[in-house]
Amino acid sequence: MKGSSVTINHVSKHFGNFHALDDVHFTINKGEFFSLLGPSGCGKTTLLRIIAGFEFPDNGIVLFDDKNVIPLPANKRQSNTVFQNYALFPHLSVYENIAFPLRLRKQDKTLIDEKVREYLHLVQLDAHMNKKPNQLSGGQRQRVAIARALINEPSVLLLDEPLSALDAKLRSNLLVDLDALHDKIGITFIYVTHDQSEALSVSDRIAVMNQGKVLQVGTPFEIYESPATEFVAQFIGETNIFPSRVVECSPLVLPDGSSQEFMVTLEAPQLGCRYGADENAKQLIKVTDYEQTEIGQKVCFTVRPEKIRITLEPPVTNRNDINIFAGVVEEPVYSGFQSKFYVRLENGTIVKVFKQHTNYLDDGPEIEWKDNVYISWSANDGYIVEDIDQ
């Protein structure tokens, strides 16, 4: 595996009274495409600049392959950075921009020419090598910046929101190219972004940050399907979140006799009465969790809108782990590949539901504004995300 592992070891950073990073610690594996994801001001760019050597932490260290790089200046670390504003030399050609780091190191002219042409081909800019940056599109300029950062063969490539200046379609195309480039080169990529769709689509793992803290580190699947906190659940995609109280918690026993999940029964007054529930179980919701919860514990649970089924007729089921509610379509929003429904339950709570469009005949009757509907979801699709302080 190429590249270096990068360990962030209890790093903190203040700017005056502002706490930019608060005891951040995790490890990025060799050759991993790792994203730092969070809103503006969460500390992700500060952390990237500390890894690069442009900032220094108040506390903690950064290790490349178990070697502390904090004492080293930026140009002595085995890393290079790609910035969102490209930082190209406007008076130099594409060829000379990419060659610049090698000329700085006084490399042999033949070697420089060979490597520049290799990296021009890698980023698919062979036909543009004699152009100046102002003759290129935004995507092409960013490719030049990436080639220039890679030509020194760093073990870690740092990318600070490199696609944020591009339009949506170009950003999407370049993201695919960037992922393919990572697969070819195989070094460690550390990618800063505030766009969750970017992070989910290319990352091996993601660190979700907010207010200087790392809230969760995991694969895109883990971050989306099993968010650790209410903030993570709401920041990654869209979701429904409801406060509740634990009434019962029972282990789900697998065929091999082990128990990896728990079926949790919650009291969720905000959702009101379940459709078809008996008098003693009208507000009880079934969800799953990977940790045992205590009876009476206050928690939040989430269910993603695309996990919820919406129908004009009540679902027919004899399963006791299906949550069913009656409501009225408050607002239908058509968006091409799917429709979004905002359903008002009998007690006034709004629930978001996404319905994917497949084959017209399979979609059933069209659901419209003010229709009486039924929404339902499995306990497997509801998930406890956070304890609520007592």
Side-chain angles (χ1 to χ4, degrees), residues 257-272:
S258 65
S259 175
Q260 296 179 343
E261 292 184 58
F262 294 87
M263 177 73 75
V264 185
T265 304
L266 301 173
E267 184 181 56
Q270 196 177 86
L271 286 174

Side-chain angles (χ1 to χ4, degrees), residues 135-276:
Q135 297 175 291
L136 303 177
S137 69
Q140 289 170 333
R141 276 178 278 177
Q142 195 56 280
R143 289 176 192 224
V144 176
I146 290 169
R148 187 179 62 183
L150 288 172
I151 202 165
N152 268 339
E153 298 181 349
S155 59
V156 180
L157 183 66
L158 307 171
L159 300 116
D160 186 10
E161 304 211 44
L163 311 182
S164 62
L166 308 177
D167 65 65
K169 189 170 183 179
L170 184 57
R171 190 162 63 239
S172 178
N173 292 338
L174 194 53
L175 194 65
V176 173
D177 293 340
L178 190 61
D179 192 26
L181 189 62
H182 172 259
D183 292 340
K184 287 179 184 176
I185 296 173
I187 65 171
T188 307
F189 278 27
I190 304 179
Y191 186 84
V192 162
T193 181
H194 63 274
D195 187 321
Q196 76 264 12
S197 62
E198 285 185 6
L200 289 171
S201 60
V202 297
S203 307
D204 295 313
R205 287 191 304 148
I206 300 167
V208 182
M209 300 181 65
N210 190 38
Q211 296 181 340
K213 295 179 180 291
V214 172
L215 304 182
Q216 186 174 1
V217 176
T219 65
F221 181 86
E222 290 167 342
I223 295 289
Y224 187 84
E225 298 289 347
S226 307
T229 69
E230 181 178 349
F231 176 86
V232 175
Q234 290 183 319
F235 189 75
I236 306 294
E238 295 189 57
T239 197
N240 298 285
I241 290 186
F242 305 102
S244 53
R245 184 180 67 86
V246 177
V247 174
E248 185 181 347
C249 183
S250 306
L252 291 172
V253 180
L254 301 178
D256 63 2
S258 65
S259 175
Q260 296 179 343
E261 292 184 58
F262 294 87
M263 177 73 75
V264 185
T265 304
L266 301 173
E267 184 181 56
Q270 196 177 86
L271 286 174
C273 298
R274 288 191 302 134
Y275 174 80

Side-chain angles (χ1 to χ4, degrees), residues 190-389:
I190 304 179
Y191 186 84
V192 162
T193 181
H194 63 274
D195 187 321
Q196 76 264 12
S197 62
E198 285 185 6
L200 289 171
S201 60
V202 297
S203 307
D204 295 313
R205 287 191 304 148
I206 300 167
V208 182
M209 300 181 65
N210 190 38
Q211 296 181 340
K213 295 179 180 291
V214 172
L215 304 182
Q216 186 174 1
V217 176
T219 65
F221 181 86
E222 290 167 342
I223 295 289
Y224 187 84
E225 298 289 347
S226 307
T229 69
E230 181 178 349
F231 176 86
V232 175
Q234 290 183 319
F235 189 75
I236 306 294
E238 295 189 57
T239 197
N240 298 285
I241 290 186
F242 305 102
S244 53
R245 184 180 67 86
V246 177
V247 174
E248 185 181 347
C249 183
S250 306
L252 291 172
V253 180
L254 301 178
D256 63 2
S258 65
S259 175
Q260 296 179 343
E261 292 184 58
F262 294 87
M263 177 73 75
V264 185
T265 304
L266 301 173
E267 184 181 56
Q270 196 177 86
L271 286 174
C273 298
R274 288 191 302 134
Y275 174 80
D278 62 48
E279 195 65 32
N280 297 321
K282 282 188 173 181
Q283 294 180 344
L284 299 184
I285 305 295
K286 299 282 188 180
V287 299
T288 53
D289 196 14
Y290 292 108
E291 297 179 4
Q292 187 163 8
T293 49
E294 300 296 326
I295 306 303
Q297 189 173 340
K298 292 182 179 179
V299 297
C300 283
F301 81 91
T302 180
V303 57
R304 297 284 184 185
E306 71 274 11
K307 308 286 188 183
I308 303 175
R309 187 178 177 219
I310 183 169
T311 55
L312 292 170
E313 299 294 331
V316 178
T317 179
N318 57 3
R319 290 171 52 182
N320 68 354
D321 64 340
I322 301 296
N323 304 293
I324 306 172
F325 290 88
V328 176
V329 175
E330 189 75 11
E331 188 68 42
V333 180
Y334 176 78
S335 56
F337 68 97
Q338 70 176 8
S339 288
K340 299 182 180 183
F341 299 97
Y342 294 83
V343 178
R344 184 180 295 277
L345 303 186
E346 292 174 341
N347 70 340
T349 296
I350 298 291
V351 178
K352 286 181 289 188
V353 182
F354 296 169
K355 183 179 181 183
Q356 192 86 4
H357 297 306
T358 52
N359 181 279
Y360 176 75
L361 295 176
D362 294 337
D363 273 352
E366 187 177 353
I367 296 173
E368 299 178 338
W369 179 56
K370 294 301 180 183
D371 275 348
N372 291 306
V373 294
Y374 298 86
I375 62 171
S376 57
W377 69 89
S378 163
N380 291 328
D381 295 323
Y383 186 76
I384 292 177
V385 292
E386 195 168 22
D387 297 342
I388 300 175
D389 294 334

Side-chain angles (χ1 to χ4, degrees), residues 87-100:
L88 300 177
F89 298 110
H91 61 290
L92 297 181
S93 67
V94 168
Y95 182 101
E96 288 301 331
N97 263 283
I98 296 173
F100 183 79

Side-chain angles (χ1 to χ4, degrees), residues 85-151:
N85 62 353
Y86 318 130
L88 300 177
F89 298 110
H91 61 290
L92 297 181
S93 67
V94 168
Y95 182 101
E96 288 301 331
N97 263 283
I98 296 173
F100 183 79
L102 299 181
R103 296 202 191 284
L104 206 60
R105 292 165 57 185
K106 304 189 186 307
Q107 297 281 347
D108 176 75
K109 288 184 179 181
T110 304
L111 177 64
I112 290 174
D113 185 66
E114 182 182 312
K115 292 200 71 175
V116 170
R117 291 178 185 277
E118 176 189 346
Y119 280 89
L120 276 166
H121 185 68
L122 194 65
V123 295
Q124 302 171 41
L125 288 174
D126 311 67
H128 303 279
M129 65 178 184
N130 294 318
K131 292 181 180 179
K132 298 288 178 63
N134 64 1
Q135 297 175 291
L136 303 177
S137 69
Q140 289 170 333
R141 276 178 278 177
Q142 195 56 280
R143 289 176 192 224
V144 176
I146 290 169
R148 187 179 62 183
L150 288 172
I151 202 165

